[in-house]
Amino acid sequence: MSAVSSAEQTGRHVEEILDRLAESGDPAAAAAAEELVRSLMDFYGAGLARILHLLSGAPGEATARLLGDDLVASLLVLHDLHPEDRDTRIARALDGVREHPLEVVGFDDESGTLTLRAREAGGCGCGSGTGAKEAAEAALACFAPEVRAVDVQTAPAGPTLLQIGAAPTGAR
């Protein structure tokens, strides 16, 4: 299980538990659970902010390693502490989707839709759109929560490759 899916699963699990408590009929217990989660989030967020502050004078390699770690990066984004801007985080996430070469076409701030173009892979004339949307959504889930939808356009097909075989006998 990857750190990214683990962070997503943990978030969903916490929401499910809070929902069950809210449905249990005990509003005091539900309110206490939400307050507990909020307090822990504030505490961990303050700790992460302190770590970033302490690393700010350190060589860039340590910070780069932290930002390259899926779990750490997702926690920094969750607490709005990630030092990279949205476009840089999107590019970093899509860099990890090497089996589906994608390029950013644009981002709609209003709807949260990221439009991508699937580039042709390997020059074979076949697009790489199959599975690209799912791969992009998975990669972006923790690095760019402001991306609420992904639209993948297929790149226009390049010239068709012609198969050249041996000339028929006597054709010269």
Side-chain angles (χ1 to χ4, degrees), residues 86-104:
R86 179 197 68 213
D87 294 340
T88 304
R89 289 183 283 112
I90 287 172
R92 180 188 290 271
L94 294 177
D95 262 356
V97 187
R98 298 193 191 286
E99 68 274 12
H100 300 285
L102 299 164
E103 62 182 318
V104 176

Side-chain angles (χ1 to χ4, degrees), residues 1-129:
M1 176 183 326
S2 76
V4 173
S5 61
S6 177
E8 289 176 52
Q9 289 172 348
T10 300
R12 277 191 236 118
H13 187 65
V14 168
E15 286 178 13
E16 289 170 7
I17 293 170
L18 291 175
D19 288 345
R20 283 197 318 255
L21 282 169
E23 294 168 358
S24 72
D26 186 351
E34 285 191 38
E35 183 180 351
L36 173 64
V37 170
R38 199 173 10 265
S39 294
L40 286 172
M41 291 287 295
D42 291 345
F43 177 72
Y44 289 123
L48 289 168
R50 179 67 181 232
I51 289 168
L52 284 179
H53 174 73
L54 292 171
L55 284 174
S56 65
E61 182 182 330
T63 303
R65 285 196 353 245
L66 286 175
L67 297 180
D69 183 90
D70 292 350
L71 180 59
V72 173
S74 67
L75 286 171
L76 294 175
V77 169
L78 177 67
H79 290 281
D80 200 24
L81 296 170
H82 203 291
E84 296 176 334
D85 65 14
R86 179 197 68 213
D87 294 340
T88 304
R89 289 183 283 112
I90 287 172
R92 180 188 290 271
L94 294 177
D95 262 356
V97 187
R98 298 193 191 286
E99 68 274 12
H100 300 285
L102 299 164
E103 62 182 318
V104 176
V105 174
F107 182 75
D108 183 337
D109 287 307
E110 203 169 303
S111 69
T113 300
L114 178 66
T115 303
L116 302 171
R117 181 174 298 120
R119 296 180 298 205
E120 293 180 5
C124 64
C126 55
S128 59

Side-chain angles (χ1 to χ4, degrees), residues 141-166:
C142 290
F143 288 100
E146 55 269 75
V147 176
R148 293 189 295 272
V150 175
D151 178 32
V152 178
Q153 303 171 344
T154 305
T160 303
L161 296 177
L162 299 176
Q163 185 68 29
I164 300 174

